[in-house]
Amino acid sequence: MVTIKILGFAGSLRRGSFNKAILRAAREELPADAELEIFDLEGIPPYNQDLDDNMPGRVKEFKQKIRSADAILIASPEYNYSIPGVLKNAIDWASRPPGDNSWDGKPVAVMGASIGMLGGARAQYHLRQVFVYVNMFPVNRPEVMVPFVQDKVDENGNITDEKTRHKVRELLESLISWTRRLKGM
Ligand SMILES: Cc1cc2nc3c(=O)[nH]c(=O)nc-3n(C[C@H](O)[C@H](O)[C@H](O)COP(=O)(O)O)c2cc1C
């Protein structure tokens, strides 16, 4: 069976990010028929349409990684009931220039962690709306929203909660089978 290449990134730049922690958990829970590369959105500047024909190096690198991935995994917090600016900004860059939308046709899975009780649900539904326009194909289930994440990590910030790790693994399995279906892989 062909290995599915997944590109994962977090919608948080924070060093101790809980969303980076669930991405690390995803790498540990990854099924054997897939690989996961984690990209850090650090260094992607605010979007400027003047640069569509001369994109910053970090953006070019990001676009190239998206292109060579079979599927995308996003782990994002919710900021003020919506998508964090750094994440939306990165999505906007990679959707440009016209005719070179790197997201086009990509299968995608979303998960999120929050210190609140809804686990970032509202940001996930806003993200799903964005997927319509950039033409990404999201996995519907399971929905992975990790509430009160601060109670689910060890002293190094790694996810110890078994239920969370299990959900993350289920999401990966779902993303892999969805990708195989969509791409005939
Ligand atoms: C600007 C800002 C807005 C936030 N808004 C929300 C929110 O709407 N809902 C929520 O559950 N948590 C909110 N939080 C708290 C985040 O859940 C918490 O900071 C979380 O740790 C961020 O994810 P990270 O650990 O991956 O950086 C907000 C945090 C910040 C900094």
Side-chain angles (χ1 to χ4, degrees):
M1 222 190 260
V2 184
T3 301
I4 301 289
K5 288 185 354 187
I6 304 172
L7 179 71
F9 49 92
S12 170
L13 302 179
R14 201 166 73 83
R15 217 173 318 125
S17 162
F18 294 120
N19 286 280
K20 289 182 180 176
I22 57 173
L23 265 187
R24 288 195 301 278
R27 201 164 46 193
E28 288 156 14
E29 298 294 329
L30 196 65
D33 60 337
E35 54 190 54
L36 171 62
E37 178 179 359
I38 295 177
F39 185 88
D40 198 313
L41 297 184
E42 184 73 58
I44 294 191
Y47 176 70
N48 180 345
Q49 196 178 350
D50 291 340
L51 302 179
D52 265 8
D53 297 327
N54 182 24
M55 291 199 168
R58 187 75 178 145
V59 175
K60 285 187 187 152
E61 191 187 348
F62 186 45
K63 280 175 68 69
Q64 185 275 322
K65 288 195 185 289
I66 298 163
R67 280 251 175 266
S68 58
D70 300 309
I72 305 295
L73 175 65
I74 300 176
S76 184
E78 172 177 283
Y79 279 180
N80 299 315
Y81 283 14
S82 190
I83 306 167
V86 287
L87 175 57
K88 181 60 164 54
N89 181 60
I91 292 172
D92 292 342
W93 268 118
S95 70
R96 305 289 294 182
D100 187 23
N101 167 18
S102 309
W103 307 113
D104 192 20
K106 295 281 177 191
V108 59
V110 187
M111 55 186 186
S114 149
I115 58 171
M117 64 192 281
L118 292 184
R122 289 157 293 219
Q124 290 194 22
Y125 295 123
H126 286 181
L127 257 180
R128 286 175 188 272
Q129 180 176 329
V130 173
F131 294 155
V132 175
Y133 192 67
V134 297
N135 198 36
M136 294 179 91
F137 301 125
V139 164
N140 283 336
R141 276 188 285 270
E143 294 187 300
V144 181
M145 294 146 182
V146 185
F148 306 122
V149 63
Q150 68 278 17
D151 301 332
K152 296 171 180 167
V153 292
D154 65 15
E155 64 282 5
N156 299 314
N158 293 317
I159 303 288
T160 48
D161 180 57
E162 267 317 310
K163 239 172 92 183
T164 301
R165 299 185 73 94
H166 182 73
K167 270 273 169 258
V168 168
R169 186 176 172 94
E170 278 183 346
L171 182 65
L172 289 165
E173 284 165 354
S174 184
L175 177 62
I176 291 164
S177 73
W178 180 227
T179 303
R180 291 200 188 283
R181 259 174 78 185
L182 279 177
K183 299 195 156 193
M185 293 172 82

